[in-house]
Amino acid sequence: MSEVVAWDDDGTPRSPRFDDIYRSATGGLAQARHVFLDGCGLPAAWAGRPQWRVLETGFGLGLNFLATWLAWLQDPQRPRVLHFASIEAFPVSADDLLRSAATEAGLLPLATELAQQWQGLTPGFHRFVLAEGRVLLTLCVGDVAPMLREQAFRADAVFLDGFDPERNPQMWSLETLKAVTRLCHRGALLATWSVVGQLRRDLKSCGWQLTRRAGLPPKRECLAGRYDPGWEVKGLEAPGEAEAADCIVIGAGLSGAAAAASLARRGWSVRVFDTAAGPATGASDLPARLLAPHQSPDDNLLSRLSRAGVRLTLQEAQARLADGLEWRRTGVLEWRADDHRPLPGIGEALEPWSREATEGQKRAAGIAVDQAAWWHDNAAWIEPAALVRSWLRTPGVRFCGGRKVARVLRQGESWRLENGAGEAMGQASLVVVAAAHDSAALLENRLQLHPVRGQVTWAPHADDAALLPPFPVNGHGHFLPRVPLVEREAWITGSTYGRGDADESLRREDDAANLERVRQVLPRAAPAFQGALQRRETRSWSGVRCASTDRRPLAGELEPGLWVSTAMGSRGLTFAALCGELIAARLHGEPLPLEARLAQALDARRQDRARSG
């Protein structure tokens, strides 16, 4: 359940939990500008910078974020990318975000764009991609101390905000201020509305040089600061940032195209090499795939990773693809047979992700009401090749087909790509290997990868299409009842999972296995499948995916300038965009799109650590 906001008669939003106001009735935008933007010297301080990183300790109703976004939009000298990482233990509803911004004409369109994505705020990090990927909000849902520990970047500016220190002392404690300071480089800026003596003393003890400023009535004063400790502290230099230059991505599937788009948005000039003449000709050429969160009763690592990835991919699909032709947000029913274990108890924010399926949904799908089933709202079918093509159209990306790379060699400060004859194919300061199973050979088998063959079965709709469920069903393979394939709507089901199998030839026994699995889950729809077989209208597709030994993607740096994004397995739609953003964040010292400990679970060097351990 969203945090309750009580609105006074004069329009002042109040927190019943803390018995304090979020802002005054008249000074929301004015306060954000005067206290926080002016206090940090913005927008002048970010002029000419490639990016700007703000750390905020209390998101509240989002006015500081919206005011910063608006200032960015209005500034011709704005940085290419604006990052805003904010911590909030008790997120409010989308309706309250909109109500708070409604009185400020400049903020309302921005609040509306944010509110469209504002749901499913389970504990942890949530990335919101705005302004065509150039404004990135990372909302960290949880108590301030653990959320600060999960950060892995250096802030350019800090907005210290929150309810009154007497009502919410942990937000202003010395422990919190030390944790904030650890995330700042020398010269970072700070602003806050509070000027209480203990806060000033604690900030000075952490190395902040402070200035009292005139406040915005009814406040008499506010505080500004610059981090400049008078003692030596290791690692206080500005965060290491790769200078955007030339890059080559090897592989034009989901993972390669996503990485190329993420880098291009940050100013890189990216060439994407692929053996085939066109993009998305490998496993990404599947006619349609189901994007759905993996959920587990214990909310395990894969569940948390998949929620982060699905959120990003849904945002990308919404922004880039044609609804009903290239994707459709449908939700999905997950059949769980006799497994009646409950969903994880992590609060009502889980509900847009997963909840118990209703009897009506089970009946609509054609499964017995006594069988266990979950419903996931945040699910969709997507045409992977359409998403790949859209990512490759990002300004700064150039696709280069018919380029079969055989070796990647260090040459001075850059990397040289060669073909099988030892001839140079290109050179770049940054190379990202995203060549699925071929990545292992290109990297001299430093990665442990194995092929995973998959075959799906599909057929066009006929008169018996009414027997099909109205929405996708998964849990024993997946079944998409209505996708636009070739001449008319079709159903598609699969896929097989042939670990260690790299043979792409079509197999009748795999079609039979696909249809048998879906018959077990959806017996009412069986006549439709049998009819397609009798009419000889079933068709097949097979492809080879790539997986790691622990079945998690590999994304990260192997050597300076040599990065990898591969091993997506059967979850390329879930993880490609997330891994692309993770690589870009690591390169540029940005806020990560997920908690540091979750990002570590995707790090490509974990295989090296496992071997050495």
PDB file of all heavy atoms in Angstrom, residues 326-361:
ATOM      1  N   GLU A 326       4.163  -4.871 -32.614  1.00  0.00           N
ATOM      2  CA  GLU A 326       5.495  -5.311 -32.210  1.00  0.00           C
ATOM      3  C   GLU A 326       5.551  -5.708 -30.739  1.00  0.00           C
ATOM      4  O   GLU A 326       6.518  -6.327 -30.317  1.00  0.00           O
ATOM      5  CB  GLU A 326       6.506  -4.199 -32.478  1.00  0.00           C
ATOM      6  CG  GLU A 326       6.629  -3.866 -33.961  1.00  0.00           C
ATOM      7  CD  GLU A 326       7.468  -2.631 -34.215  1.00  0.00           C
ATOM      8  OE1 GLU A 326       7.412  -1.689 -33.383  1.00  0.00           O
ATOM      9  OE2 GLU A 326       8.174  -2.592 -35.243  1.00  0.00           O
ATOM     10  N   TRP A 327       4.525  -5.354 -29.995  1.00  0.00           N
ATOM     11  CA  TRP A 327       4.457  -5.762 -28.592  1.00  0.00           C
ATOM     12  C   TRP A 327       3.055  -5.513 -28.089  1.00  0.00           C
ATOM     13  O   TRP A 327       2.272  -4.793 -28.700  1.00  0.00           O
ATOM     14  CB  TRP A 327       5.487  -5.008 -27.750  1.00  0.00           C
ATOM     15  CG  TRP A 327       4.988  -3.690 -27.209  1.00  0.00           C
ATOM     16  CD1 TRP A 327       4.630  -2.586 -27.921  1.00  0.00           C
ATOM     17  CD2 TRP A 327       4.780  -3.363 -25.828  1.00  0.00           C
ATOM     18  NE1 TRP A 327       4.232  -1.570 -27.079  1.00  0.00           N
ATOM     19  CE2 TRP A 327       4.311  -2.019 -25.780  1.00  0.00           C
ATOM     20  CE3 TRP A 327       4.964  -4.055 -24.643  1.00  0.00           C
ATOM     21  CZ2 TRP A 327       4.009  -1.377 -24.584  1.00  0.00           C
ATOM     22  CZ3 TRP A 327       4.666  -3.404 -23.444  1.00  0.00           C
ATOM     23  CH2 TRP A 327       4.204  -2.093 -23.434  1.00  0.00           C
ATOM     24  N   ARG A 328       2.730  -6.082 -26.947  1.00  0.00           N
ATOM     25  CA  ARG A 328       1.460  -5.828 -26.287  1.00  0.00           C
ATOM     26  C   ARG A 328       1.606  -6.201 -24.805  1.00  0.00           C
ATOM     27  O   ARG A 328       2.024  -7.310 -24.475  1.00  0.00           O
ATOM     28  CB  ARG A 328       0.340  -6.638 -26.939  1.00  0.00           C
ATOM     29  CG  ARG A 328      -1.009  -6.630 -26.236  1.00  0.00           C
ATOM     30  CD  ARG A 328      -1.667  -5.262 -26.128  1.00  0.00           C
ATOM     31  NE  ARG A 328      -1.838  -4.527 -27.344  1.00  0.00           N
ATOM     32  CZ  ARG A 328      -2.909  -4.619 -28.160  1.00  0.00           C
ATOM     33  NH1 ARG A 328      -3.880  -5.480 -27.890  1.00  0.00           N
ATOM     34  NH2 ARG A 328      -2.983  -3.851 -29.205  1.00  0.00           N
ATOM     35  N   ARG A 329       1.285  -5.268 -23.942  1.00  0.00           N
ATOM     36  CA  ARG A 329       1.305  -5.541 -22.506  1.00  0.00           C
ATOM     37  C   ARG A 329       0.026  -6.283 -22.152  1.00  0.00           C
ATOM     38  O   ARG A 329      -1.064  -5.718 -22.183  1.00  0.00           O
ATOM     39  CB  ARG A 329       1.425  -4.239 -21.724  1.00  0.00           C
ATOM     40  CG  ARG A 329       1.652  -4.437 -20.235  1.00  0.00           C
ATOM     41  CD  ARG A 329       2.030  -3.119 -19.604  1.00  0.00           C
ATOM     42  NE  ARG A 329       2.398  -3.260 -18.212  1.00  0.00           N
ATOM     43  CZ  ARG A 329       3.204  -2.418 -17.569  1.00  0.00           C
ATOM     44  NH1 ARG A 329       3.732  -1.399 -18.230  1.00  0.00           N
ATOM     45  NH2 ARG A 329       3.470  -2.594 -16.298  1.00  0.00           N
ATOM     46  N   THR A 330       0.152  -7.542 -21.809  1.00  0.00           N
ATOM     47  CA  THR A 330      -1.004  -8.424 -21.658  1.00  0.00           C
ATOM     48  C   THR A 330      -1.189  -8.947 -20.243  1.00  0.00           C
ATOM     49  O   THR A 330      -2.291  -9.377 -19.888  1.00  0.00           O
ATOM     50  CB  THR A 330      -0.836  -9.644 -22.573  1.00  0.00           C
ATOM     51  OG1 THR A 330       0.399 -10.300 -22.242  1.00  0.00           O
ATOM     52  CG2 THR A 330      -0.840  -9.240 -24.042  1.00  0.00           C
ATOM     53  N   GLY A 331      -0.114  -8.955 -19.433  1.00  0.00           N
ATOM     54  CA  GLY A 331      -0.120  -9.763 -18.231  1.00  0.00           C
ATOM     55  C   GLY A 331       0.036 -11.229 -18.599  1.00  0.00           C
ATOM     56  O   GLY A 331      -0.030 -11.603 -19.778  1.00  0.00           O
ATOM     57  N   VAL A 332       0.273 -12.058 -17.600  1.00  0.00           N
ATOM     58  CA  VAL A 332       0.411 -13.489 -17.862  1.00  0.00           C
ATOM     59  C   VAL A 332      -0.051 -14.268 -16.635  1.00  0.00           C
ATOM     60  O   VAL A 332       0.157 -13.856 -15.495  1.00  0.00           O
ATOM     61  CB  VAL A 332       1.875 -13.859 -18.217  1.00  0.00           C
ATOM     62  CG1 VAL A 332       2.804 -13.578 -17.044  1.00  0.00           C
ATOM     63  CG2 VAL A 332       2.001 -15.326 -18.628  1.00  0.00           C
ATOM     64  N   LEU A 333      -0.709 -15.398 -16.883  1.00  0.00           N
ATOM     65  CA  LEU A 333      -1.067 -16.324 -15.819  1.00  0.00           C
ATOM     66  C   LEU A 333       0.005 -17.401 -15.738  1.00  0.00           C
ATOM     67  O   LEU A 333       0.305 -18.058 -16.736  1.00  0.00           O
ATOM     68  CB  LEU A 333      -2.428 -16.952 -16.075  1.00  0.00           C
ATOM     69  CG  LEU A 333      -2.959 -17.852 -14.950  1.00  0.00           C
ATOM     70  CD1 LEU A 333      -4.451 -17.657 -14.768  1.00  0.00           C
ATOM     71  CD2 LEU A 333      -2.655 -19.322 -15.236  1.00  0.00           C
ATOM     72  N   GLU A 334       0.587 -17.563 -14.548  1.00  0.00           N
ATOM     73  CA  GLU A 334       1.599 -18.596 -14.337  1.00  0.00           C
ATOM     74  C   GLU A 334       0.967 -19.797 -13.656  1.00  0.00           C
ATOM     75  O   GLU A 334       0.526 -19.724 -12.505  1.00  0.00           O
ATOM     76  CB  GLU A 334       2.756 -18.067 -13.480  1.00  0.00           C
ATOM     77  CG  GLU A 334       3.818 -19.127 -13.223  1.00  0.00           C
ATOM     78  CD  GLU A 334       4.942 -18.646 -12.325  1.00  0.00           C
ATOM     79  OE1 GLU A 334       5.127 -17.418 -12.208  1.00  0.00           O
ATOM     80  OE2 GLU A 334       5.616 -19.503 -11.715  1.00  0.00           O
ATOM     81  N   TRP A 335       0.898 -20.897 -14.369  1.00  0.00           N
ATOM     82  CA  TRP A 335       0.338 -22.153 -13.852  1.00  0.00           C
ATOM     83  C   TRP A 335       1.356 -22.811 -12.926  1.00  0.00           C
ATOM     84  O   TRP A 335       2.521 -22.990 -13.279  1.00  0.00           O
ATOM     85  CB  TRP A 335       0.021 -23.066 -15.023  1.00  0.00           C
ATOM     86  CG  TRP A 335      -0.458 -24.437 -14.656  1.00  0.00           C
ATOM     87  CD1 TRP A 335      -1.684 -24.775 -14.179  1.00  0.00           C
ATOM     88  CD2 TRP A 335       0.272 -25.669 -14.789  1.00  0.00           C
ATOM     89  NE1 TRP A 335      -1.772 -26.135 -13.992  1.00  0.00           N
ATOM     90  CE2 TRP A 335      -0.588 -26.707 -14.362  1.00  0.00           C
ATOM     91  CE3 TRP A 335       1.551 -26.001 -15.219  1.00  0.00           C
ATOM     92  CZ2 TRP A 335      -0.182 -28.042 -14.355  1.00  0.00           C
ATOM     93  CZ3 TRP A 335       1.957 -27.323 -15.206  1.00  0.00           C
ATOM     94  CH2 TRP A 335       1.085 -28.331 -14.780  1.00  0.00           C
ATOM     95  N   ARG A 336       0.928 -23.162 -11.715  1.00  0.00           N
ATOM     96  CA  ARG A 336       1.838 -23.737 -10.730  1.00  0.00           C
ATOM     97  C   ARG A 336       1.381 -25.119 -10.266  1.00  0.00           C
ATOM     98  O   ARG A 336       1.898 -25.658  -9.265  1.00  0.00           O
ATOM     99  CB  ARG A 336       1.987 -22.790  -9.541  1.00  0.00           C
ATOM    100  CG  ARG A 336       2.613 -21.449  -9.956  1.00  0.00           C
ATOM    101  CD  ARG A 336       2.872 -20.554  -8.769  1.00  0.00           C
ATOM    102  NE  ARG A 336       3.779 -21.138  -7.800  1.00  0.00           N
ATOM    103  CZ  ARG A 336       5.103 -21.185  -7.911  1.00  0.00           C
ATOM    104  NH1 ARG A 336       5.697 -20.687  -9.000  1.00  0.00           N
ATOM    105  NH2 ARG A 336       5.845 -21.730  -6.957  1.00  0.00           N
ATOM    106  N   ALA A 337       0.385 -25.682 -10.943  1.00  0.00           N
ATOM    107  CA  ALA A 337      -0.076 -27.055 -10.675  1.00  0.00           C
ATOM    108  C   ALA A 337      -0.439 -27.226  -9.203  1.00  0.00           C
ATOM    109  O   ALA A 337      -1.307 -26.528  -8.692  1.00  0.00           O
ATOM    110  CB  ALA A 337       0.977 -28.058 -11.130  1.00  0.00           C
ATOM    111  N   ASP A 338       0.245 -28.131  -8.511  1.00  0.00           N
ATOM    112  CA  ASP A 338      -0.071 -28.418  -7.103  1.00  0.00           C
ATOM    113  C   ASP A 338       0.843 -27.683  -6.128  1.00  0.00           C
ATOM    114  O   ASP A 338       0.836 -27.980  -4.924  1.00  0.00           O
ATOM    115  CB  ASP A 338       0.038 -29.927  -6.853  1.00  0.00           C
ATOM    116  CG  ASP A 338      -0.978 -30.714  -7.665  1.00  0.00           C
ATOM    117  OD1 ASP A 338      -2.095 -30.195  -7.859  1.00  0.00           O
ATOM    118  OD2 ASP A 338      -0.641 -31.821  -8.117  1.00  0.00           O
ATOM    119  N   ASP A 339       1.618 -26.740  -6.623  1.00  0.00           N
ATOM    120  CA  ASP A 339       2.523 -25.976  -5.759  1.00  0.00           C
ATOM    121  C   ASP A 339       1.756 -24.781  -5.183  1.00  0.00           C
ATOM    122  O   ASP A 339       1.635 -23.735  -5.808  1.00  0.00           O
ATOM    123  CB  ASP A 339       3.736 -25.500  -6.559  1.00  0.00           C
ATOM    124  CG  ASP A 339       4.762 -24.777  -5.686  1.00  0.00           C
ATOM    125  OD1 ASP A 339       4.479 -24.563  -4.484  1.00  0.00           O
ATOM    126  OD2 ASP A 339       5.834 -24.420  -6.209  1.00  0.00           O
ATOM    127  N   HIS A 340       1.238 -24.932  -3.993  1.00  0.00           N
ATOM    128  CA  HIS A 340       0.417 -23.896  -3.370  1.00  0.00           C
ATOM    129  C   HIS A 340       1.213 -23.023  -2.403  1.00  0.00           C
ATOM    130  O   HIS A 340       0.615 -22.323  -1.580  1.00  0.00           O
ATOM    131  CB  HIS A 340      -0.765 -24.536  -2.637  1.00  0.00           C
ATOM    132  CG  HIS A 340      -1.800 -25.101  -3.563  1.00  0.00           C
ATOM    133  ND1 HIS A 340      -2.819 -24.355  -4.092  1.00  0.00           N
ATOM    134  CD2 HIS A 340      -1.949 -26.361  -4.068  1.00  0.00           C
ATOM    135  CE1 HIS A 340      -3.575 -25.112  -4.869  1.00  0.00           C
ATOM    136  NE2 HIS A 340      -3.065 -26.340  -4.882  1.00  0.00           N
ATOM    137  N   ARG A 341       2.525 -23.015  -2.513  1.00  0.00           N
ATOM    138  CA  ARG A 341       3.304 -22.129  -1.659  1.00  0.00           C
ATOM    139  C   ARG A 341       2.925 -20.680  -1.959  1.00  0.00           C
ATOM    140  O   ARG A 341       2.681 -20.315  -3.119  1.00  0.00           O
ATOM    141  CB  ARG A 341       4.800 -22.337  -1.891  1.00  0.00           C
ATOM    142  CG  ARG A 341       5.341 -23.650  -1.342  1.00  0.00           C
ATOM    143  CD  ARG A 341       6.826 -23.772  -1.648  1.00  0.00           C
ATOM    144  NE  ARG A 341       7.076 -23.846  -3.084  1.00  0.00           N
ATOM    145  CZ  ARG A 341       8.286 -23.716  -3.629  1.00  0.00           C
ATOM    146  NH1 ARG A 341       9.346 -23.501  -2.859  1.00  0.00           N
ATOM    147  NH2 ARG A 341       8.435 -23.815  -4.942  1.00  0.00           N
ATOM    148  N   PRO A 342       2.878 -19.832  -0.932  1.00  0.00           N
ATOM    149  CA  PRO A 342       2.419 -18.462  -1.149  1.00  0.00           C
ATOM    150  C   PRO A 342       3.486 -17.583  -1.783  1.00  0.00           C
ATOM    151  O   PRO A 342       4.677 -17.934  -1.835  1.00  0.00           O
ATOM    152  CB  PRO A 342       2.100 -17.976   0.269  1.00  0.00           C
ATOM    153  CG  PRO A 342       3.061 -18.756   1.133  1.00  0.00           C
ATOM    154  CD  PRO A 342       3.165 -20.118   0.481  1.00  0.00           C
ATOM    155  N   LEU A 343       3.061 -16.436  -2.242  1.00  0.00           N
ATOM    156  CA  LEU A 343       3.975 -15.416  -2.734  1.00  0.00           C
ATOM    157  C   LEU A 343       4.805 -14.878  -1.574  1.00  0.00           C
ATOM    158  O   LEU A 343       4.410 -14.973  -0.414  1.00  0.00           O
ATOM    159  CB  LEU A 343       3.183 -14.271  -3.380  1.00  0.00           C
ATOM    160  CG  LEU A 343       2.571 -14.594  -4.747  1.00  0.00           C
ATOM    161  CD1 LEU A 343       1.432 -13.648  -5.060  1.00  0.00           C
ATOM    162  CD2 LEU A 343       3.645 -14.524  -5.830  1.00  0.00           C
ATOM    163  N   PRO A 344       5.966 -14.293  -1.868  1.00  0.00           N
ATOM    164  CA  PRO A 344       6.802 -13.773  -0.776  1.00  0.00           C
ATOM    165  C   PRO A 344       6.113 -12.630  -0.045  1.00  0.00           C
ATOM    166  O   PRO A 344       5.394 -11.821  -0.654  1.00  0.00           O
ATOM    167  CB  PRO A 344       8.071 -13.293  -1.495  1.00  0.00           C
ATOM    168  CG  PRO A 344       7.659 -13.080  -2.911  1.00  0.00           C
ATOM    169  CD  PRO A 344       6.595 -14.099  -3.189  1.00  0.00           C
ATOM    170  N   GLY A 345       6.330 -12.553   1.235  1.00  0.00           N
ATOM    171  CA  GLY A 345       5.691 -11.526   2.041  1.00  0.00           C
ATOM    172  C   GLY A 345       6.510 -10.254   2.092  1.00  0.00           C
ATOM    173  O   GLY A 345       7.109  -9.928   3.128  1.00  0.00           O
ATOM    174  N   ILE A 346       6.545  -9.541   0.993  1.00  0.00           N
ATOM    175  CA  ILE A 346       7.344  -8.303   0.926  1.00  0.00           C
ATOM    176  C   ILE A 346       6.459  -7.089   0.731  1.00  0.00           C
ATOM    177  O   ILE A 346       6.914  -6.040   0.277  1.00  0.00           O
ATOM    178  CB  ILE A 346       8.415  -8.386  -0.181  1.00  0.00           C
ATOM    179  CG1 ILE A 346       7.795  -8.673  -1.553  1.00  0.00           C
ATOM    180  CG2 ILE A 346       9.457  -9.421   0.159  1.00  0.00           C
ATOM    181  CD1 ILE A 346       8.809  -8.641  -2.681  1.00  0.00           C
ATOM    182  N   GLY A 347       5.192  -7.197   1.082  1.00  0.00           N
ATOM    183  CA  GLY A 347       4.321  -6.027   1.052  1.00  0.00           C
ATOM    184  C   GLY A 347       3.428  -5.976  -0.160  1.00  0.00           C
ATOM    185  O   GLY A 347       3.589  -6.724  -1.136  1.00  0.00           O
ATOM    186  N   GLU A 348       2.459  -5.041  -0.077  1.00  0.00           N
ATOM    187  CA  GLU A 348       1.466  -4.923  -1.135  1.00  0.00           C
ATOM    188  C   GLU A 348       2.036  -4.360  -2.431  1.00  0.00           C
ATOM    189  O   GLU A 348       1.394  -4.446  -3.470  1.00  0.00           O
ATOM    190  CB  GLU A 348       0.295  -4.059  -0.659  1.00  0.00           C
ATOM    191  CG  GLU A 348      -0.501  -4.709   0.467  1.00  0.00           C
ATOM    192  CD  GLU A 348      -1.709  -3.887   0.875  1.00  0.00           C
ATOM    193  OE1 GLU A 348      -2.117  -3.010   0.088  1.00  0.00           O
ATOM    194  OE2 GLU A 348      -2.231  -4.109   1.976  1.00  0.00           O
ATOM    195  N   ALA A 349       3.238  -3.769  -2.361  1.00  0.00           N
ATOM    196  CA  ALA A 349       3.868  -3.280  -3.590  1.00  0.00           C
ATOM    197  C   ALA A 349       4.171  -4.408  -4.559  1.00  0.00           C
ATOM    198  O   ALA A 349       4.405  -4.164  -5.743  1.00  0.00           O
ATOM    199  CB  ALA A 349       5.156  -2.522  -3.265  1.00  0.00           C
ATOM    200  N   LEU A 350       4.183  -5.655  -4.082  1.00  0.00           N
ATOM    201  CA  LEU A 350       4.417  -6.795  -4.973  1.00  0.00           C
ATOM    202  C   LEU A 350       3.265  -7.019  -5.937  1.00  0.00           C
ATOM    203  O   LEU A 350       3.443  -7.609  -7.015  1.00  0.00           O
ATOM    204  CB  LEU A 350       4.646  -8.061  -4.136  1.00  0.00           C
ATOM    205  CG  LEU A 350       4.941  -9.350  -4.898  1.00  0.00           C
ATOM    206  CD1 LEU A 350       6.276  -9.256  -5.618  1.00  0.00           C
ATOM    207  CD2 LEU A 350       4.945 -10.549  -3.946  1.00  0.00           C
ATOM    208  N   GLU A 351       2.063  -6.522  -5.592  1.00  0.00           N
ATOM    209  CA  GLU A 351       0.869  -6.926  -6.332  1.00  0.00           C
ATOM    210  C   GLU A 351       0.917  -6.617  -7.831  1.00  0.00           C
ATOM    211  O   GLU A 351       0.505  -7.465  -8.633  1.00  0.00           O
ATOM    212  CB  GLU A 351      -0.376  -6.296  -5.707  1.00  0.00           C
ATOM    213  CG  GLU A 351      -1.660  -6.814  -6.329  1.00  0.00           C
ATOM    214  CD  GLU A 351      -2.895  -6.456  -5.534  1.00  0.00           C
ATOM    215  OE1 GLU A 351      -2.986  -6.892  -4.374  1.00  0.00           O
ATOM    216  OE2 GLU A 351      -3.743  -5.738  -6.081  1.00  0.00           O
ATOM    217  N   PRO A 352       1.402  -5.451  -8.277  1.00  0.00           N
ATOM    218  CA  PRO A 352       1.470  -5.283  -9.736  1.00  0.00           C
ATOM    219  C   PRO A 352       2.417  -6.269 -10.404  1.00  0.00           C
ATOM    220  O   PRO A 352       2.303  -6.531 -11.599  1.00  0.00           O
ATOM    221  CB  PRO A 352       1.966  -3.839  -9.898  1.00  0.00           C
ATOM    222  CG  PRO A 352       1.649  -3.183  -8.606  1.00  0.00           C
ATOM    223  CD  PRO A 352       1.788  -4.237  -7.566  1.00  0.00           C
ATOM    224  N   TRP A 353       3.358  -6.788  -9.628  1.00  0.00           N
ATOM    225  CA  TRP A 353       4.252  -7.807 -10.171  1.00  0.00           C
ATOM    226  C   TRP A 353       3.587  -9.181 -10.122  1.00  0.00           C
ATOM    227  O   TRP A 353       3.521  -9.872 -11.136  1.00  0.00           O
ATOM    228  CB  TRP A 353       5.554  -7.838  -9.362  1.00  0.00           C
ATOM    229  CG  TRP A 353       6.390  -6.608  -9.542  1.00  0.00           C
ATOM    230  CD1 TRP A 353       6.540  -5.579  -8.650  1.00  0.00           C
ATOM    231  CD2 TRP A 353       7.179  -6.265 -10.686  1.00  0.00           C
ATOM    232  NE1 TRP A 353       7.369  -4.628  -9.165  1.00  0.00           N
ATOM    233  CE2 TRP A 353       7.784  -5.028 -10.413  1.00  0.00           C
ATOM    234  CE3 TRP A 353       7.441  -6.891 -11.903  1.00  0.00           C
ATOM    235  CZ2 TRP A 353       8.630  -4.390 -11.313  1.00  0.00           C
ATOM    236  CZ3 TRP A 353       8.290  -6.261 -12.808  1.00  0.00           C
ATOM    237  CH2 TRP A 353       8.870  -5.032 -12.514  1.00  0.00           C
ATOM    238  N   SER A 354       3.099  -9.557  -8.959  1.00  0.00           N
ATOM    239  CA  SER A 354       2.578 -10.913  -8.794  1.00  0.00           C
ATOM    240  C   SER A 354       1.502 -10.932  -7.722  1.00  0.00           C
ATOM    241  O   SER A 354       1.654 -10.292  -6.672  1.00  0.00           O
ATOM    242  CB  SER A 354       3.707 -11.870  -8.386  1.00  0.00           C
ATOM    243  OG  SER A 354       4.803 -11.808  -9.279  1.00  0.00           O
ATOM    244  N   ARG A 355       0.448 -11.684  -7.991  1.00  0.00           N
ATOM    245  CA  ARG A 355      -0.582 -11.923  -6.984  1.00  0.00           C
ATOM    246  C   ARG A 355      -1.254 -13.254  -7.301  1.00  0.00           C
ATOM    247  O   ARG A 355      -1.073 -13.797  -8.406  1.00  0.00           O
ATOM    248  CB  ARG A 355      -1.607 -10.791  -6.961  1.00  0.00           C
ATOM    249  CG  ARG A 355      -2.365 -10.574  -8.267  1.00  0.00           C
ATOM    250  CD  ARG A 355      -3.376  -9.449  -8.109  1.00  0.00           C
ATOM    251  NE  ARG A 355      -4.168  -9.229  -9.297  1.00  0.00           N
ATOM    252  CZ  ARG A 355      -3.840  -8.401 -10.273  1.00  0.00           C
ATOM    253  NH1 ARG A 355      -2.725  -7.702 -10.206  1.00  0.00           N
ATOM    254  NH2 ARG A 355      -4.626  -8.263 -11.325  1.00  0.00           N
ATOM    255  N   GLU A 356      -2.008 -13.763  -6.362  1.00  0.00           N
ATOM    256  CA  GLU A 356      -2.723 -15.004  -6.615  1.00  0.00           C
ATOM    257  C   GLU A 356      -3.749 -14.790  -7.730  1.00  0.00           C
ATOM    258  O   GLU A 356      -4.493 -13.809  -7.728  1.00  0.00           O
ATOM    259  CB  GLU A 356      -3.451 -15.456  -5.339  1.00  0.00           C
ATOM    260  CG  GLU A 356      -2.522 -15.801  -4.172  1.00  0.00           C
ATOM    261  CD  GLU A 356      -1.757 -17.086  -4.402  1.00  0.00           C
ATOM    262  OE1 GLU A 356      -2.190 -17.906  -5.242  1.00  0.00           O
ATOM    263  OE2 GLU A 356      -0.717 -17.275  -3.732  1.00  0.00           O
ATOM    264  N   ALA A 357      -3.776 -15.710  -8.688  1.00  0.00           N
ATOM    265  CA  ALA A 357      -4.760 -15.617  -9.767  1.00  0.00           C
ATOM    266  C   ALA A 357      -6.162 -15.841  -9.214  1.00  0.00           C
ATOM    267  O   ALA A 357      -6.369 -16.645  -8.297  1.00  0.00           O
ATOM    268  CB  ALA A 357      -4.452 -16.640 -10.855  1.00  0.00           C
ATOM    269  N   THR A 358      -7.120 -15.138  -9.774  1.00  0.00           N
ATOM    270  CA  THR A 358      -8.506 -15.307  -9.343  1.00  0.00           C
ATOM    271  C   THR A 358      -9.113 -16.545  -9.989  1.00  0.00           C
ATOM    272  O   THR A 358      -8.597 -17.073 -10.993  1.00  0.00           O
ATOM    273  CB  THR A 358      -9.332 -14.083  -9.730  1.00  0.00           C
ATOM    274  OG1 THR A 358      -9.411 -14.009 -11.163  1.00  0.00           O
ATOM    275  CG2 THR A 358      -8.711 -12.794  -9.194  1.00  0.00           C
ATOM    276  N   GLU A 359     -10.241 -16.994  -9.426  1.00  0.00           N
ATOM    277  CA  GLU A 359     -10.951 -18.108 -10.054  1.00  0.00           C
ATOM    278  C   GLU A 359     -11.398 -17.739 -11.457  1.00  0.00           C
ATOM    279  O   GLU A 359     -11.379 -18.583 -12.367  1.00  0.00           O
ATOM    280  CB  GLU A 359     -12.142 -18.518  -9.188  1.00  0.00           C
ATOM    281  CG  GLU A 359     -11.761 -19.214  -7.896  1.00  0.00           C
ATOM    282  CD  GLU A 359     -12.976 -19.799  -7.187  1.00  0.00           C
ATOM    283  OE1 GLU A 359     -14.086 -19.728  -7.758  1.00  0.00           O
ATOM    284  OE2 GLU A 359     -12.811 -20.337  -6.070  1.00  0.00           O
ATOM    285  N   GLY A 360     -11.777 -16.489 -11.652  1.00  0.00           N
ATOM    286  CA  GLY A 360     -12.192 -16.060 -12.986  1.00  0.00           C
ATOM    287  C   GLY A 360     -11.068 -16.148 -13.994  1.00  0.00           C
ATOM    288  O   GLY A 360     -11.292 -16.546 -15.149  1.00  0.00           O
ATOM    289  N   GLN A 361      -9.861 -15.774 -13.593  1.00  0.00           N
ATOM    290  CA  GLN A 361      -8.718 -15.877 -14.506  1.00  0.00           C
ATOM    291  C   GLN A 361      -8.398 -17.333 -14.816  1.00  0.00           C
ATOM    292  O   GLN A 361      -8.065 -17.678 -15.966  1.00  0.00           O
ATOM    293  CB  GLN A 361      -7.509 -15.168 -13.896  1.00  0.00           C
ATOM    294  CG  GLN A 361      -7.625 -13.654 -13.885  1.00  0.00           C
ATOM    295  CD  GLN A 361      -6.560 -12.979 -13.042  1.00  0.00           C
ATOM    296  OE1 GLN A 361      -6.080 -13.542 -12.059  1.00  0.00           O
ATOM    297  NE2 GLN A 361      -6.186 -11.770 -13.425  1.00  0.00           N
TER     298      GLN A 361
END
